Amino acid sequence: MRDDMPDETRRSHLSRTFDEDAELYDRARPGYPSELFDDLDALAGTGPGRRVLEVGAGTGKATVPLAERGCRITAVELGANMAAVARRNLARFGWVEVVTADFETWPLPLEPFDAIVSATAFHWIDPAVRMVRAADALRAGGALAVVATQHVAGGSERFFVDVQGCYERFDPATPPGLRPAPADDVDTSDHRDEVARSGRFGPVVVRRYEWDLAYTTAEYLDVLRTYSGHRALPPEAREGLLGCVARLIDGRYGGRITKRYLTELRVSRTL
């Protein structure tokens, strides 16, 4: 199962769950590898004075590093609570504006942008309009940079085998025997195909970054509480699942596990 391919029948509902606890999201969710922002400068032309539209800014996990590099950012975020936290995190950057709106209907400014960045958010935008809207917002030759993050094999691998028993017990939608895939087996060519079908962008350039992040039991439970699928579970099932996960980490893994992430940067330019 891909982390950036939500069930289309529930996409709109799930996309709104993040706003329920924006402070938790801001505290628990990781940021992005520093190399990604170097590659954004090189491939998408971000940097000092460049006009950047960020789609799905959340609480500013990618916005802050872009602002620190001098980008002039308009950050569009659907959730009012998430946008409020983003404004707080970005208060020191006078050249950043956070707009509470959905990208699908937000009126595009007359002046086009040099680049669009969407970090772990583009898959929540309506696929019927996201490529066209992105192209319309960009100048000729402007860049669309989509960042996606996957959980892949690695880190505390045995834990992620053992924990499936918790998921199969408390979340009946869990496929039996589900395992994180090796990074080399994660096929994200569907984004290339979507870009090509749009007819509005040139070829996609891809960069990949694998990285590990260690969590205590409490930290891992916090990050799980920010995931849309976990938040959408009935409260009793969600608390049962989290309790099961906690007992597993504390009982067999000494209260600490490591998760491996694959972050992928996908950049294409308007024709």
Side-chain angles (χ1 to χ4, degrees):
M1 293 179 67
R2 287 259 302 280
D3 297 333
D4 62 342
M5 294 185 70
D7 178 355
E8 188 57 30
T9 63
R10 304 171 70 208
R11 175 183 50 78
S12 180
H13 166 68
L14 292 175
S15 70
R16 287 163 168 78
T17 63
F18 305 109
D19 201 51
E20 294 168 356
D21 196 340
E23 295 289 353
L24 175 64
Y25 186 99
D26 190 53
R27 182 177 74 249
R29 281 294 184 104
Y32 300 93
S34 59
E35 307 96 299
L36 181 147
F37 296 97
D38 294 335
D39 287 341
L40 271 172
D41 285 354
L43 298 175
T46 55
R50 306 298 284 181
R51 294 189 73 248
V52 174
L53 171 62
E54 187 181 5
V55 176
T59 62
K61 294 290 182 178
T63 328
V64 170
L66 288 169
E68 289 173 340
R69 290 169 178 255
C71 297
R72 295 164 52 207
I73 305 167
T74 299
V76 176
E77 168 54 42
L78 172 65
N81 296 321
M82 300 280 272
V85 176
R87 291 187 187 98
R88 184 187 69 205
N89 291 339
L90 293 155
R92 68 187 188 276
F93 303 107
W95 51 94
V96 176
E97 177 189 17
V98 179
V99 177
T100 305
D102 64 271
F103 177 61
E104 291 91 335
T105 62
W106 177 62
L108 297 177
L110 293 178
E111 183 182 359
F113 292 91
D114 298 308
I116 291 176
V117 176
S118 187
T120 321
F122 203 64
H123 55 285
W124 295 116
I125 307 301
D126 185 350
V129 301
R130 61 193 176 201
M131 297 305 302
V132 172
R133 291 279 291 170
D136 288 347
L138 289 165
R139 64 169 174 79
L144 170 63
V146 173
V147 180
T149 298
Q150 314 286 336
H151 174 201
V152 294
S156 303
E157 290 198 72
R158 186 65 212 177
F159 164 75
F160 291 104
V161 173
D162 293 342
V163 80
Q164 285 309 117
C166 295
Y167 282 91
E168 290 175 18
R169 177 181 174 189
F170 291 100
D171 182 2
T174 302
L178 184 66
R179 302 287 185 270
D184 289 346
D185 291 349
V186 177
D187 179 7
T188 58
S189 60
D190 54 289
H191 180 75
R192 285 193 178 92
D193 295 342
E194 183 180 6
V195 168
R197 285 195 306 271
S198 76
R200 302 290 299 273
F201 293 90
V204 180
V205 178
V206 176
R207 296 289 183 271
R208 284 183 155 197
Y209 322 85
E210 282 187 68
W211 49 291
D212 289 350
L213 190 58
Y215 292 97
T216 64
T217 302
E219 289 168 343
Y220 192 62
L221 294 186
D222 274 352
V223 80
L224 292 182
R225 289 186 179 99
T226 71
Y227 293 157
S228 59
H230 292 65
R231 298 194 66 85
L233 287 172
E236 185 176 347
R238 182 171 61 248
E239 292 310 308
L241 171 61
L242 295 174
C244 184
V245 173
R247 289 189 295 274
L248 180 61
I249 299 175
D250 287 337
R252 297 189 200 172
Y253 295 91
R256 193 172 185 87
I257 56 98
T258 299
K259 183 172 182 175
R260 179 163 297 173
Y261 292 93
L262 169 66
T263 297
E264 188 173 82
L265 171 64
R266 312 157 180 172
V267 179
S268 49
R269 290 187 174 271
T270 55
L271 298 173

